[in-house]
Amino acid sequence: MAENKTQPTEVDPVDFINAVEHPTRRADAQTLDALFRRVTGWQPKMWGPTIIGYGSYSYTYESGRSGEFLATGFSPRKANLSLYIMPGYADFQSVLDRLGKYKIGKSCLYINKLADVDLDVVEEIVKAGLEDLGQRWPVSPS
């Protein structure tokens, strides 16, 4: 079975954030790093070249595929901030209704800039996502 493409790396997340070119995106990433550290109580770890993850979880699907992935995290991409909530946002519509401007994917929340959203609601989403994930798979701190 193929391994996940996105694996933990030894890159320092703070160095990665400090190297983000756009000043607003870099400041937003610093704010998100502080928020994720506070909410999770965990230290960040880079996953692949651009994702900052907090904690991890091990899974085995009915198909037999198994692996490990970040429990929650974000990526300060050029186009937007991508927040990763596993296993997804399906049950969070009532919370998302209070967030502000965003777009959504299966397990990604896309935000143009933090000024567009309510950070208290972001915190609530991260907590709810971790609780939801923990009911499905064992979550480990980082």
Side-chain angles (χ1 to χ4, degrees):
M1 234 179 241
E3 262 189 14
N4 281 340
K5 217 164 84 169
T6 306
Q7 295 288 325
T9 73
E10 295 303 316
V11 174
D12 183 335
V14 173
D15 290 344
F16 171 74
I17 290 170
N18 289 336
V20 171
E21 288 185 30
H22 193 279
T24 301
R25 184 75 73 231
R26 182 174 52 252
D28 284 353
Q30 291 166 336
T31 299
L32 283 174
D33 179 41
L35 182 147
F36 275 85
R37 287 176 191 245
R38 185 177 66 256
V39 169
T40 66
W42 303 329
Q43 295 300 306
K45 184 155 190 70
M46 291 299 299
W47 285 74
T50 62
I51 300 174
I52 302 162
Y54 303 80
S56 63
Y57 71 102
S58 297
Y59 61 86
T60 303
Y61 296 138
E62 288 181 16
S63 66
R65 179 181 168 88
S66 63
E68 183 178 13
F69 202 60
L70 61 115
T72 192
F74 71 95
S75 180
R77 301 193 187 278
K78 284 188 181 189
N80 52 42
L81 298 163
S82 300
L83 278 64
Y84 299 93
I85 303 295
M86 310 305 167
Y89 291 90
D91 299 327
F92 300 145
Q93 192 58 54
S94 64
V95 179
L96 290 170
D97 289 344
R98 298 182 282 114
L99 179 61
K101 285 177 58 176
Y102 70 91
K103 291 183 181 174
I104 198 164
K106 182 174 168 69
S107 62
C108 293
L109 182 68
Y110 303 107
I111 298 169
N112 287 331
K113 57 189 179 301
L114 291 184
D116 292 341
V117 297
D118 183 328
L119 283 178
D120 290 336
V121 176
V122 171
E123 185 171 324
E124 191 177 334
I125 290 169
V126 172
K127 286 178 186 175
L130 281 172
E131 287 174 17
D132 186 43
L133 178 63
Q135 292 175 10
R136 299 166 192 254
W137 308 106
V139 176
S140 301
S142 56

